[in-house]
Amino acid sequence: MSEPGSLLRSLAGRTTARNFHSYVINEIGAGVINGRFPVGSTLPNDAALMAEFDVSRTVLREALKTLEAKGLLEARPKVGTKVAKRTRWNLYDPQVLAWHFGQPLEREFLAGLREMRRVVEPAAAARAAQRRTADHLRLMQYWVRQMETSASEIQNFALADFELHRIIADASQNPFMRSFIGVIELSHAFAYRPLVEDAGPHDLEEIIAAHRTLVSAVERGEPEAAHSAMLATIAIDEEKAGV
C-alpha cells in the first residue's frame, strides 16, 4: 500500500524503502501504466518474471494478487495473467494514481482529475465545517503553521499543504471523501512539480493566505464559506500546475 505523502516526497528524490514484495508490485504496476505491459497483453510467465525481479514464486504470486485487486491485472485459467482494460483500473487507489505521475497523460485523464477534485473537495470542506472536532482544528492550524515556516523549503511546504487537505477530508467524517486522498495527492504533485524543478525562490504567500481563509471558515463552522475557500485553493493549484 502506498504511504500518504510518498508521491510528494518523491518530488525531492526522497523515496520509501521497499521490500521485494512492494518492489515487484511497483515495477509491474508502473509497467502497466506506462505501456510496457499493454492493455490486453499477457504478462511473461512466472519463470521469466521470477528471473527478472530475482524473487521467489511466493513473492511474485502475492504481488500479482495485489495488482489484480487494484484492477490492473486479471488471471485467466489456461491463458495466464492479462493486463485488464483501463475501465477496470481502480483510479481511487493512491498507488495506481501515483504510477500515472511522470507518464504522458491523456487530456481526458487530467480533465477528469480536475473535475473530480472540484466536486469532492469543496463538499468535504463544507462537511468539515459542520463536523470537525477540536483535534481536527488543532491539526489544521498545525499544518498552516508548517506551511508558514516551510516557505523556503518547497518540498516540506508541499507536504504540509497536502496534509492540511488530508485532515479536512478526514474532518468531513465521510468515509468516501476520506478515500479521495490519492486524487488529492496526485493533484498536489502536479501543482508543486514546477516549483520543485525551479530552484529559485518562490512567493508562496497567496497559497498560505488561501489556506488560512479555508481553515478559518471551517473553524467558524461556515459550510458555504469553506466550500468557496476550498475552490479558491484548488484554482491556485491548477494555475501552478499548468495542466
Side-chain angles (χ1 to χ4, degrees):
M1 183 176 178
S2 181
E3 177 187 354
S6 59
L7 177 57
L8 288 168
R9 292 185 183 92
S10 74
L11 293 177
R14 294 152 56 188
T15 57
T16 304
R18 297 191 181 102
N19 56 30
F20 285 121
H21 178 254
S22 60
Y23 169 73
V24 176
I25 292 171
N26 187 73
E27 290 299 306
I28 298 178
V32 170
I33 302 303
N34 66 29
R36 179 191 169 192
F37 304 115
V39 170
S41 68
T42 301
L43 293 185
N45 61 35
D46 285 3
L49 291 173
M50 289 162 58
E52 177 178 350
F53 300 120
D54 192 23
V55 295
S56 68
R57 188 180 300 275
T58 299
V59 169
L60 176 64
R61 283 295 178 182
E62 288 301 316
L64 295 179
K65 286 180 182 177
T66 299
L67 291 165
E68 192 172 357
K70 294 176 183 290
L72 298 183
L73 303 177
E74 51 186 351
R76 294 185 177 181
K78 300 181 181 180
V79 175
T81 301
K82 302 198 71 171
V83 178
K85 295 178 180 179
R86 291 177 183 269
T87 53
R88 293 194 57 191
W89 297 0
N90 180 5
L91 292 182
Y92 289 100
D93 184 296
Q95 198 167 24
V96 174
L97 284 170
W99 288 326
H100 282 80
F101 189 67
Q103 306 300 329
L105 297 176
E106 298 173 357
R107 184 171 299 179
E108 181 184 4
F109 180 92
L110 294 171
L113 186 73
R114 290 195 298 268
E115 183 176 344
M116 287 304 298
R117 194 176 178 206
R118 283 179 165 273
V119 168
V120 175
E121 276 207 272
R127 297 296 181 274
Q130 298 169 314
R131 302 169 180 173
R132 80 288 186 275
T133 66
D135 281 342
H136 287 131
L137 291 175
R138 176 180 58 80
L139 286 169
M140 289 178 205
Q141 294 290 358
Y142 170 79
W143 288 115
V144 169
R145 290 195 299 273
Q146 288 299 107
M147 291 175 71
E148 293 168 345
T149 59
S150 301
S152 62
E153 301 174 355
I154 194 64
Q155 298 90 351
N156 292 336
F157 185 92
L159 282 165
D161 185 342
F162 164 67
E163 289 293 345
L164 174 54
H165 283 256
R166 189 162 75 96
I167 294 302
I168 290 174
D170 186 66
S172 73
Q173 310 278 6
N174 183 315
F176 296 97
M177 290 177 176
R178 287 168 171 162
S179 298
F180 199 66
I181 195 65
V183 174
I184 297 172
E185 183 170 6
L186 181 60
S187 299
H188 277 73
F190 280 130
Y192 281 102
R193 178 168 57 183
L195 301 187
V196 170
E197 292 175 347
D198 178 3
H202 304 286
D203 183 2
L204 303 175
E205 184 53 42
E206 179 187 15
I207 303 172
I208 296 171
H211 286 80
R212 287 197 198 105
T213 299
L214 171 60
V215 171
S216 178
V218 173
E219 188 172 23
R220 295 194 309 270
E222 299 178 358
E224 291 185 6
H227 188 284
S228 297
M230 180 62 83
L231 278 174
T233 70
I234 293 172
I236 292 172
D237 283 352
E238 291 176 351
E239 182 181 357
K240 292 201 305 288
V243 296

